[in-house]
Structures are given as structure tokens and as C-alpha cells.
Amino acid sequence: EYQGRRVQVTPKPFSPGGPGLVMGGNSEIAARRAARFGMGMISQGSNPAISEIYAAECRKLGREPGFCANPPADTVTAAFFAEDPDRAWRELGPYLLHDARAYADWMGESHVSASKSSAGSIEELRAQGSPYCIFTPDEAVAYVRRRRLLALQPLCGGLPPALAWPSLELLASKVLPALATP
């Protein structure tokens, strides 16, 4: 049931030929909800039991667990791509910093999250290397091969689509084709 209505969800976490669909969250409730909706799960890395709760709930509902990630604190959770990262940081940095500050304020001091940054400036945010990162295509390929996960938030912080689009085009034209070959 969702907002008083009965909702039927087909337990297919991935659309054929399309991107994966996962739910983000960092609570037992979020893990159970992802299982109920037949979705994968990405937690915020601060509760190692989330993966187990998700898998147990999937099995209780009679389905195999889908993709589930519980990333470590140094995980990039808002990735962008640019041939010239310096220029991209000048253009995208104010939006990424706004997102980082808003998210950190919302979570408060005591909350631990792979997506939380304490940066007070664009330079600090960039120097952290995560959770916000602007990769060259080669850096992105190396990161994905090493970490096996790369999360995108192309419109985070109110980023205008016109500024986000070049990053997505670079992902499609250079990063994904490079990852398709060993």
C-alpha cells in the first residue's frame, strides 16, 4: 500500500536493456521498502546490517535479493565527467557545494553517510575526492574497474540540465564504451 492505494510492483529491479533502478536509504524501513517494491538498494554505508535486512526481507517476500550496495565512506556518490575538470569545477562547483551543504545541514552533526561532505568551499569539496567528483573519462573507467560502482546525480544541487548534459554525453560516448571492453 502506498498513500492509501494498493500498488502492484513487478519485482524486476532492472528494465531490459535499461539502467538499474535502486532505492537509496539508510534505515531498516528503507531496506524493507526496496525489497517490497522489488528494487535494488544502496545504503549510505553507516549500517552494515542494512544489506542483511534487505536480503532477509526479499526472501521473506519470496524473491531473490537484487543489487545491494553498502558503500564505504570514501565512495563517490555524485559523479560527473569532463575532459577539463578544472573548467567543470568552475561551472559545476557552486551547485555541488550547495548540494553538499544542504545535505550536511539536513543530516546534522551526528549522522554518518557516504554522501555527506563537511566541505566549506569548492576547493575543499574537490580536494576531498568524494562524495562529489568530476572525473576525466580515463579516471572514471579506472574508478569503476576498481570500485565496481559509480553513482550519478546529474541534477544535484539544482544543476541546470544544460550544464549537466555534457557530463552525461561524455559518459555515453567515452566512459561506457571503455567499460564495455576488458
Side-chain angles (χ1 to χ4, degrees):
E1 226 176 76
Y2 178 69
Q3 294 182 345
R5 297 183 320 231
R6 183 134 176 95
V7 178
Q8 178 66 37
V9 179
T10 305
K12 293 181 181 176
F14 301 98
S15 58
L21 183 60
V22 298
M23 182 174 290
N26 204 41
S27 66
E28 290 183 27
I29 292 169
R32 288 189 174 96
R33 186 176 297 126
R36 186 173 72 241
F37 289 148
M39 299 171 71
M41 172 81 188
I42 295 181
S43 76
Q44 289 299 311
S46 61
N47 182 352
I50 292 291
S51 299
E52 295 164 17
I53 293 166
Y54 168 76
E57 188 70 14
C58 284
R59 288 188 183 99
K60 178 179 146 188
L61 294 167
R63 57 177 63 120
E64 283 300 308
F67 172 82
C68 186
N70 198 4
D74 64 344
T75 299
V76 173
T77 59
F80 294 85
F81 315 97
E83 295 287 2
D84 182 352
D86 293 332
R87 179 178 175 201
W89 273 106
R90 286 191 301 274
E91 294 175 349
L92 309 180
Y95 299 98
L96 304 184
L97 182 61
H98 169 73
D99 189 75
R101 286 179 172 167
Y103 199 58
D105 286 348
W106 172 68
M107 286 192 290
E109 292 296 321
S110 63
H111 192 83
V112 176
S113 168
S115 296
K116 185 176 179 182
S117 170
S118 59
S121 69
I122 295 168
E123 294 76 21
E124 288 177 21
L125 189 64
R126 183 178 184 177
Q128 286 178 340
S130 68
Y132 302 84
C133 188
I134 300 174
F135 292 105
T136 64
D138 289 342
E139 290 169 341
V141 169
Y143 181 90
V144 171
R145 286 190 172 144
R146 187 175 64 252
R147 300 293 291 265
R148 309 302 302 159
L149 175 69
L150 187 61
L152 312 180
Q153 295 187 48
L155 300 178
C156 77
L159 192 70
L163 288 179
W165 196 246
S167 176
L168 294 173
E169 288 177 331
L170 204 52
L171 170 70
S173 68
K174 293 197 175 178
V175 177
L176 294 177
L179 288 170
T181 58

